[in-house]
Amino acid sequence: MARLITIGAAQSGPIRRDENRATIVERLIQQMREAHRQGCDLIVYTEVALTAFFSHWWIDNEEELDSWFEREMPGPETQPLFDEAARLGIGFHLGYAELAFEEGRKRHFNSAILVGKDGVIIGKFRKMHLPGHYERRPNNPFQNLEKRYFEFGDGPLQTWRAFGGVVGMCICNDRRWTETYRLLALGGVELTLIGYNTPDHIPEYPQMDRLSNFHHQLCMQAGAYQNGTWVVAVGKAGVEEGVSQIGLTSIIAPSGEVVAQSKTLGDELVVHTCDLDETIAYKQLFDFAANRRIQHYGPIASQLAAISPP
Ligand code: ING
């Protein structure tokens, strides 16, 4: 019996620095309505989907920095998205900059949520692997100040039973780390949702620029295959405030094959019906309990013990 889920990967074109949340939410709602028209059960938005990727800018004013974050989710400006999701009966994933008051202090995270067809939040993840740098690099054509503007997400990389399967999330740079997929797979993941903002130029390593698209796909295709999971990865694409970002929003099968992919650098909905049962053969091929030899992996072996699925 197939466990089918039709997914809309909603690539975002550039967002202007002066674009307000209401305008962007309306763009997201239009994509949600199109996804619903195409029979989607779930629409996946990108990383920091509500604003331009402000980590590319030097911001030395706390009030301005905080203005790029959401203090509530849903809040007044994002509630219409939740309401439309419930009205249409479609689930969604949304990446956003989260401002939280926890442990008696103000905290900033690069976060993502999974929301059910009833418009209720199922789970949240805070980006763990923050690339880039803390100090301003004036000689670079753009900054990548995630280490300055966000705290490291303290995990766990967890999974939730939802949409007829086991769903997990990670964010952008997390997708480049093999541990990300393995920890999700130890939690039984069958569908991994990822948003990303990825420049096609790394100022410190220009020799890698020609491989931007290849590296983007390489880590996700390997992660999907080695861990028996679908991967849906959604980009913020195009030239955004002077920074050229890759597209290649992709839906990748547990075989590692890219089964659907964006062709533009703008707003583009990539739709595919995924059979979650396609994960079974690959999870049997890579039978963690029977085939892994963690007792011989050395001192970290105990940390690799299986985590039971939810
Ligand atoms: N961006 C980039 C990412 O895709 C990067 C940063 C690009 C790191 C290329 C390494 C190589 O990981 C974000 N926002 O993480």
Side-chain angles (χ1 to χ4, degrees):
M1 188 267 282
R3 285 180 295 145
L4 303 180
I5 175 172
T6 300
I7 297 176
Q11 177 175 290
S12 171
I15 293 177
R16 287 195 328 276
R17 189 167 187 158
D18 64 358
E19 243 179 301
N20 65 41
R21 298 289 197 288
T23 308
I24 294 154
V25 167
E26 184 52 34
R27 263 170 75 175
L28 300 180
I29 287 175
Q30 291 310 317
Q31 286 185 304
M32 182 180 279
R33 286 173 180 158
E34 178 54 28
H36 181 257
R37 271 192 293 274
Q38 294 196 39
C40 292
D41 302 294
L42 172 67
I43 183 170
V44 183
Y45 295 116
T46 189
E47 172 193 28
V48 184
L50 299 169
T51 66
F53 198 67
F54 56 88
S55 296
H56 289 154
W57 316 329
W58 174 254
I59 302 170
D60 58 3
N61 172 291
E62 183 179 352
E63 188 180 346
E64 182 196 346
L65 179 62
D66 287 356
S67 73
W68 297 106
F69 288 77
E70 310 305 315
R71 293 167 183 259
E72 300 172 86
M73 187 50 71
E77 292 156 325
T78 49
Q79 188 61 54
L81 185 66
F82 285 72
D83 294 345
E84 187 69 356
R87 185 181 76 84
L88 295 173
I90 183 169
F92 67 94
H93 156 285
L94 178 75
Y96 67 101
E98 177 193 10
L99 192 156
F101 290 90
E102 292 174 355
E103 300 168 11
R105 59 196 171 95
K106 184 163 66 171
R107 306 183 71 187
H108 300 79
F109 295 100
N110 184 341
S111 300
I113 50 173
L114 178 65
V115 182
K117 293 186 174 184
D118 55 1
V120 175
I121 294 175
I122 295 167
K124 177 168 71 178
F125 173 73
R126 290 166 165 174
K127 185 173 180 178
M128 279 184 151
H129 301 89
L130 298 177
H133 40 91
Y134 183 86
E135 296 304 331
R136 186 177 195 173
R137 293 185 180 175
N139 297 326
N140 284 5
F142 57 90
Q143 306 298 304
N144 192 345
L145 293 164
E146 293 192 73
K147 287 185 171 74
R148 188 180 192 89
Y149 298 158
F150 302 114
E151 285 186 48
F152 287 92
D154 46 8
L157 274 155
Q158 68 182 94
T159 56
W160 297 270
R161 283 209 173 281
F163 302 96
V166 180
V167 184
M169 295 183 279
C170 68
I171 302 172
C172 203
N173 199 252
D174 291 324
R175 79 187 187 285
R176 298 182 189 275
W177 298 83
T178 190
E179 297 89 342
T180 298
Y181 304 94
R182 184 49 47 93
L183 286 165
L184 289 171
L186 288 167
V189 79
E190 297 173 316
L191 174 61
T192 301
L193 309 178
I194 309 174
Y196 59 90
N197 284 243
T198 299
D200 60 18
H201 170 55
I202 309 175
E204 293 77 12
Y205 306 103
Q207 71 274 28
M208 296 183 189
D209 291 355
R210 68 180 183 82
L211 296 168
S212 296
N213 290 345
F214 170 68
H215 287 157
H216 160 68
Q217 290 191 186
L218 176 68
C219 46
M220 298 192 299
Q221 288 180 265
Y225 165 63
Q226 292 170 337
N227 296 281
T229 177
W230 285 90
V231 171
V232 178
V234 180
K236 170 92 76 52
V239 180
E240 181 177 83
E241 295 297 326
V243 181
S244 175
Q245 301 202 122
I246 69 168
L248 292 186
T249 287
S250 303
I251 298 178
I252 299 169
S255 63
E257 295 167 287
V258 178
V259 295
Q261 194 165 66
S262 64
K263 296 175 177 57
T264 72
L265 292 175
D267 284 11
E268 181 178 347
L269 189 69
V270 177
V271 177
H272 187 77
T273 296
C274 306
D275 180 357
L276 297 180
D277 281 350
E278 284 184 33
T279 63
I280 295 170
Y282 289 93
K283 289 187 184 297
Q284 288 172 348
L285 182 71
F286 290 99
D287 182 334
F288 292 164
N291 299 357
R292 289 203 307 162
R293 311 296 295 154
I294 59 171
Q295 63 271 30
H296 301 302
Y297 288 1
I300 64 161
S302 59
Q303 298 173 27
L304 296 174
I307 306 162
S308 58

